[in-house]
Amino acid sequence: MEDIEVHGWVGDQSPADIDLFGHGQVAAFQGCPKLRRVGFSFDGNPQAMDLHRLNLPWGQLSVLNLGSINPIFCLNILRECILLQECNLLISFIDNAAIDELTAISKQPVLLPSLHTLFLWATNHPTLFLDALHLPDLRTFCPTGKWDGFRWSSSSLKSFLRLDTLNLALVKLMENDLWEFLRPFRWLTTLHLPMTGLLASTTLQGLGSGMLIPSVTSINFGQENIEGLISLLEERLIASRAAGSEISMFTLVSPGCVRPIGPAVILRLEALEAAGVRLKFSRR
């Protein structure tokens, strides 16, 4: 057995009242040397589900998906996942007690040396949770949900020094928060912008001028932002010429099932290509 997926509902019982498989601390999965991918998702009372009691061979997993899990329970599991490469987490509400525990844990963060991809939905206080992790090989980060007011801390940024892909397609951010979210990542090569809503001109100008993410070469965007993204490229071309350098190839990716591109937009794309911009446009 290489995969386990469990979905269910948990009521208002206390953790002591819940025995997922009816055997106390379960050792059945210890005899699964091929187990690599595990997923648990529960609706109801996430504070009740201490999945660590299942006694799974966490140390051999490469992929872990945990939905609606208490943040402290989650960190107790992650501490054992030394071979984890990809992780998808939906963290439940962080109450005052959890805040104190997360602050203490952040002084000795949970190390995941092989993790390269992290999907994170945090209901509140995402900085506190990220501060409790050390991810030296993280390459792709996909936050999800409402991250208004988020600010990076110096501790959490230490886990993002090798990041090359930031996926904000499903995140909700106010304009000022989006700028702050992007500002530290000058070395990114791939950026997925929020798929809904128009991007403000300040963000597009920042990306175009190179003030934000000067190394980016691939941008994924929603259809309503296409003209703004072309303006970004036009500005990036001007900035690169002023610096005496060539603009890198850009891959602009828009999701499928979009309206046709108008002739005016096509003319602007052709002008960019004529000016030496190596451009790839995809709808995938």
Side-chain angles (χ1 to χ4, degrees), residues 5-227:
E5 287 285 342
V6 178
H7 304 274
W9 182 85
V10 179
D12 294 327
Q13 302 103 309
S14 68
D17 296 330
I18 297 174
D19 189 350
L20 192 60
F21 293 102
H23 302 291
Q25 190 178 54
V26 179
F29 298 118
Q30 290 297 311
C32 299
K34 294 184 178 180
L35 188 63
R36 295 294 181 268
R37 294 176 290 275
V38 168
F40 288 98
S41 180
F42 295 95
D43 296 322
N45 179 16
Q47 310 301 327
M49 289 308 302
D50 186 359
L51 296 171
H52 195 248
R53 292 191 305 148
L54 294 180
N55 202 24
L56 280 158
W58 304 106
Q60 68 188 44
L61 300 182
S62 58
V63 178
L64 179 63
N65 299 316
L66 297 176
S68 298
I69 186 170
N70 173 289
I72 306 304
F73 293 166
C74 180
L75 291 171
N76 288 338
I77 291 171
L78 292 178
R79 197 176 295 277
E80 297 188 27
C81 297
I82 57 173
L83 298 180
L84 203 61
Q85 298 177 22
E86 181 177 317
C87 193
N88 191 333
L89 304 174
L90 197 166
I91 303 301
S92 65
F93 184 81
I94 299 176
D95 58 21
N96 289 334
I99 288 175
D100 293 338
E101 289 191 68
L102 287 172
T103 302
I105 292 172
S106 66
K107 296 176 182 178
Q108 204 165 21
V110 174
L111 172 64
L112 296 173
S114 302
L115 191 76
H116 57 69
T117 302
L118 175 63
F119 298 81
L120 179 63
W121 180 303
T123 307
N124 63 331
H125 299 300
T127 307
L128 280 175
F129 187 79
L130 288 171
D131 283 351
L133 296 173
H134 180 39
L135 315 172
D137 200 38
L138 190 68
R139 306 303 178 92
T140 300
F141 181 49
C142 307
T144 306
K146 190 174 181 179
W147 286 54
D148 288 349
F150 176 85
R151 294 295 183 269
W152 294 102
S153 70
S154 57
S155 297
S156 57
L157 279 174
K158 291 178 181 178
S159 290
F160 293 84
L161 297 179
R162 302 191 70 183
L163 197 73
D164 55 43
T165 299
L166 180 61
N167 189 338
L168 303 179
L170 300 178
V171 77
K172 295 180 180 179
L173 283 164
M174 300 294 288
E175 175 61 24
N176 289 340
D177 297 326
L178 177 60
W179 182 281
E180 289 298 321
F181 211 110
L182 296 175
R183 187 168 54 85
F185 298 111
R186 300 185 60 79
W187 58 88
L188 286 179
T189 58
T190 301
L191 173 65
H192 298 247
L193 291 165
M195 300 307 295
T196 57
L198 285 168
L199 294 170
S201 59
T202 52
T203 296
L204 294 172
Q205 289 168 1
L207 290 167
S209 65
M211 290 178 62
L212 288 175
I213 321 182
S215 58
V216 69
T217 58
S218 178
I219 298 180
N220 186 304
F221 60 97
Q223 179 69 7
E224 61 255 61
N225 286 304
I226 184 170
E227 293 186 13

